[in-house]
Amino acid sequence: MPVNRDFIGRQYPASTTYQVGREHVRSFARAIGDTNPASHDVEAARALGHPDVVAPPTFLTVVNFSFATEGPVADPALGLDYSMVVHGEQSFELHRPVHAGDELSSVQSITDIRDAGRNELVVTTTEIADAAGGRVATLRSTLVSRGTAAPRAAAVPEES
Amino acid sequence: MVQADVGTVLPARTFPITRADLVRYCGASGDLNVIHWNQRVAQAVGLTDVIAHGMLTMALAGTLVTDWAGDPGAVESFTVRFSRPVVVPDDDAGASLLVSGVVEEVREDGRAVVALTSTVDGAKVLMAARAVVRLS
C-alpha cells in the first residue's frame, strides 16, 4: 500500500526534551566499537576543550528514535510498514559537538515522499536545538519503503 | 591538530559485524526494527537474512574518521548513501566490513573532506560517503 503523500510538509515537534546522558554516550560508543577517549573519559574530553564526554557523530540517531513514537513514522495514517523499510541515505550536519549534559529539542519534518521505481522514498529532516535555542544539528534521512509504490496507472478504458 | 593533505590515507580497517553486535546496537540506538534481529521476519519480508542497521555500518565507518581526527567533535558533517544491505549470518564470524578513507579535499577554511569506501565481500555497501573534519 502506498505511503500517504498528504504527510509531505508536516512537522512533528517533540513533546519533551532529550537529556544526553554520559552513560548513554559511552554505551553508544561501545556499541559502535568507538574507543575514542573523548567519548568515554570526561578528563580526555575536557583536555580537548569540551565540557563533558563527546557523542560520536552519528549519536543523534538516538534522539530520533527516542521520539519515534510521536513522529510521523509511527503514525498509522502515514501507512509506512516499518518491516518493509530500509535506510537509503543519511546525513548529519553538526553545527556544534553534542556532549553529555545537553538538553535537546527536536522537530522532525517530512520533506518529501516520492516513487523510485517500485519503491517509495520518504525523506525526513530533523532540526535539533539545545536548551538555549541554539542550533545543534540537522539530520536528513531517506527511508526506502520496498515495493509499496502504487502500480503505474492502467490505460484509461475506452468508453463503450 | 591533524595534518591533512589531499591524498592523505586513513588507515583501512576491518570490522566484524556479528548478531551480537546488532543486538547491542539495537539497545544503544533504540532502533528495534525486527529485520535486524529476527531471521523469520527478515526472510518473510523478502530479505536474504537478518541485515545490519545502516546506521551501524555508517557509525563503524565513522570511527575511521574520528580516530584520525582525534577529537570526535571535529566532525562537522557526515553523509552516506546505503547501496546494499549488509547481511549478517547467524554464525560466530558474522559479516566483515572493510573501510578505507582518503582526504579528497582540503579547504581554505581549514576543513578536510574525507571520502570513505566501505565494502563487504568486495561489494560497496556505502556510496558517496563523505565526512567534513575541522582541522584546527
Side-chain angles (χ1 to χ4, degrees), chain B residues 31-64:
Chain B
D31 183 351
L32 305 179
N33 192 331
V34 284
I35 62 173
H36 303 308
W37 53 270
N38 186 320
Q39 181 177 27
R40 175 176 53 83
V41 174
Q43 292 180 339
V45 297
L47 299 168
T48 318
D49 202 336
V50 162
I51 63 171
H53 306 72
M55 290 305 305
L56 173 60
T57 307
M58 181 180 190
L60 292 169
T63 62
L64 218 71

Side-chain angles (χ1 to χ4, degrees), chain A residues 24 36 50 88 90 92 94 146, chain B residues 28 45 70-71 76 78 80 82:
Chain A
H24 201 166
N36 194 307
H50 301 293
Q90 181 66 45
F92 295 86
L94 297 157
R146 297 182 306 118
Chain B
V45 297
D71 180 358
E76 295 185 334
F78 189 19
V80 306
F82 302 100

Side-chain angles (χ1 to χ4, degrees), chain B:
Chain B
M1 182 178 150
V2 179
Q3 283 299 320
D5 301 298
V6 171
T8 297
V9 171
L10 282 64
R13 208 184 300 166
T14 301
F15 301 90
I17 305 176
T18 66
R19 291 285 180 91
D21 294 320
L22 302 191
V23 172
R24 195 174 293 113
Y25 189 79
C26 280
S29 68
D31 183 351
L32 305 179
N33 192 331
V34 284
I35 62 173
H36 303 308
W37 53 270
N38 186 320
Q39 181 177 27
R40 175 176 53 83
V41 174
Q43 292 180 339
V45 297
L47 299 168
T48 318
D49 202 336
V50 162
I51 63 171
H53 306 72
M55 290 305 305
L56 173 60
T57 307
M58 181 180 190
L60 292 169
T63 62
L64 218 71
V65 179
T66 47
D67 284 353
W68 174 71
D71 180 358
V75 176
E76 295 185 334
S77 156
F78 189 19
T79 301
V80 306
R81 219 163 63 222
F82 302 100
S83 48
R84 77 167 52 215
V86 175
V87 174
V88 179
D90 184 16
D91 59 27
D92 294 336
S96 183
L97 172 72
L98 176 64
V99 183
S100 60
V102 62
V103 175
E104 189 177 66
E105 182 188 350
V106 178
R107 297 186 191 154
E108 287 187 358
D109 65 1
R111 267 84 174 162
V113 180
V114 175
L116 295 167
T117 304
S118 304
T119 59
V120 172
D121 297 332
K124 282 191 182 180
V125 294
L126 300 180
M127 303 286 279
R130 298 283 184 283
V132 176
V133 180
R134 194 182 59 252
L135 296 172
S136 55

Side-chain angles (χ1 to χ4, degrees), chain A residues 22-45:
Chain A
R22 195 181 280 170
E23 294 304 339
H24 201 166
V25 170
R26 289 171 174 153
S27 70
F28 185 85
R30 276 195 299 274
I32 64 167
D34 189 339
T35 57
N36 194 307
S39 297
H40 295 273
D41 177 44
V42 178
E43 290 311 316

